[in-house]
Structures are given as C-alpha cells and as structure tokens.
Amino acid sequence: MAELRDIAQLGDPILRQTAQPIYHVQEEWVQRLSEDLLATLVHANAVGIAAPQVGLLYRLLVVASRPNPRYPTAPEMAPIVMINPHLISHSDEIVEDWEGCLSIPGLRGLVPRYREIEVEFTSPDAKLQRMVMRDFVARVFQHEFDHLGGTVFLDRMNSLHDMMTDQEYLKRIVAHPAEM
Ligand code: ZN
C-alpha cells in the first residue's frame, strides 16, 4: 500500500543538492519509492514529482500529466516512472508557459523550456527506454529533471515579473488563455 510522503519546501537544502544514480533499480525500496511518489503526486494534484522533493537524493522522477484542479488543461497520459533519466537531444525551439511546483506552493512562473526533447531512462522493470516528448509533457520532464540537479523553476525564469499567485493564475490564465 503506497504511502503519502512529506514534500520538501523551498528553503530545505535538499532541494539544492544533486541526486545520485540508482544502481539496483529492482530493489524493493525503489519500487516502493515509485509507488509512494505516484500516490503523493495524485493526492497533491501534481503532474510530476522527483525523489529529492520527498527528501531522497536519488535520480528518479515521475511524469504523470492529467487534468486536475491545479492544472485544468493538462493532457491525460499514463504515468511514467523514470530512473536515471538523461536528456539526449532537444529542439532549437523554446516555448514559455506557466509552471508551479509542490515545493514552492502558491506561486506560478512563466518558464522557457525546449518544445521537444528526446530522453533516455530506465523503467522500473530495469529496461532502458527512449522516448520523444513534446509540449506540456516535455515541460514536465524538464521541470522534474531540474530537481535532480538542485534547480527549481525560479532559476529558469527570465523575469520575476512573470510570476503570480495560484489564485491569479487560475483566474487570469486558465479562465482566459487567449489574453496571455
Ligand atoms: Zn517542482
């Protein structure tokens, strides 16, 4: 039975440290961590989560986009657990969109990211996988991948003027996307 884990908040030094590779992906603790991260993500209305956010400095992240109260327009997809992920290549094209973070509650920021990326990772069944991701899902990956290196979305913003509270984001951006 998966357990909800506490989420490290900005200011916790663990969010600024570099995560370590997982060498034995089929050990039970890795399986349990994956299940707990997914349950924590769903409970918190997130679309992605990385192990350092629950206090474990390991290179494991979950991408699990679906529409929810925090991201009403997110696309639906089957959750993907990625162990030791790498960014293989990326498009030249960079797009800006709004992001939030479970570790930075209440705030949204406009963040530039690559529109399309190719990633490699190990799945929980110990198989090496390659995947092309684009748009919102690619954004989620890049956000979570940053957490493995101690980077948060605030570090990627062009201007702190491109920041708003959750309440304003849901009122201005989600309700009236054409006004962006
Ligand atoms: Zn985050």
Side-chain angles (χ1 to χ4, degrees):
M1 183 74 185
E3 282 177 33
L4 299 180
R5 306 254 185 145
D6 290 336
I7 296 162
Q9 305 287 290
L10 188 67
D12 187 331
I14 203 152
L15 292 173
R16 294 318 205 161
Q17 293 168 26
T18 299
Q20 301 303 305
I22 295 173
Y23 293 107
H24 304 287
V25 305
Q26 287 182 297
E27 283 184 5
E28 202 219 322
W29 71 269
V30 180
Q31 195 66 44
R32 199 165 58 235
L33 174 61
S34 303
E35 288 166 9
D36 289 359
L37 281 175
L38 188 56
T40 303
L41 173 157
V42 169
H43 180 78
N45 290 317
V47 288
I49 193 167
Q53 290 184 277
V54 299
L56 290 163
L57 279 173
Y58 288 102
R59 304 189 77 79
L60 190 154
L61 61 84
V62 181
V63 177
S65 174
R66 68 195 196 299
N68 68 60
R70 285 181 69 242
Y71 296 92
T73 59
E76 183 101 44
M77 62 177 279
I80 310 172
V81 175
M82 299 182 172
I83 300 164
N84 304 327
H86 296 279
L87 185 60
I88 301 293
S89 64
H90 61 77
S91 59
D92 290 335
E93 191 184 358
I94 288 173
V95 285
E96 285 194 321
D97 203 354
W98 294 89
E99 297 183 15
C101 181
L102 293 180
S103 298
I104 308 171
L107 289 176
R108 305 291 176 120
L110 198 56
V111 185
R113 302 282 187 189
Y114 300 121
R115 181 184 284 278
E116 187 171 302
I117 55 174
E118 185 173 13
V119 301
E120 189 176 77
F121 60 95
T122 304
S123 47
D125 57 0
K127 293 198 170 71
L128 198 60
Q129 311 278 353
R130 266 200 187 210
M131 188 175 288
V132 173
M133 310 173 101
R134 58 181 68 83
D135 297 321
F136 186 78
V137 177
R139 172 172 299 280
V140 174
F141 175 88
Q142 291 170 81
H143 177 118
E144 303 312 331
F145 186 69
D146 269 352
H147 277 303
L148 305 184
T151 295
V152 298
F153 80 81
L154 305 175
D155 307 328
R156 299 283 187 196
M157 292 178 62
N158 287 323
S159 166
L160 289 178
H161 286 250
D162 299 329
M163 178 170 276
M164 53 175 77
T165 63
D166 271 346
Q167 192 184 341
E168 291 297 314
Y169 167 78
L170 291 170
K171 190 166 82 190
R172 293 172 187 277
I173 308 299
V174 176
H176 306 284
E179 293 174 10
M180 263 183 84

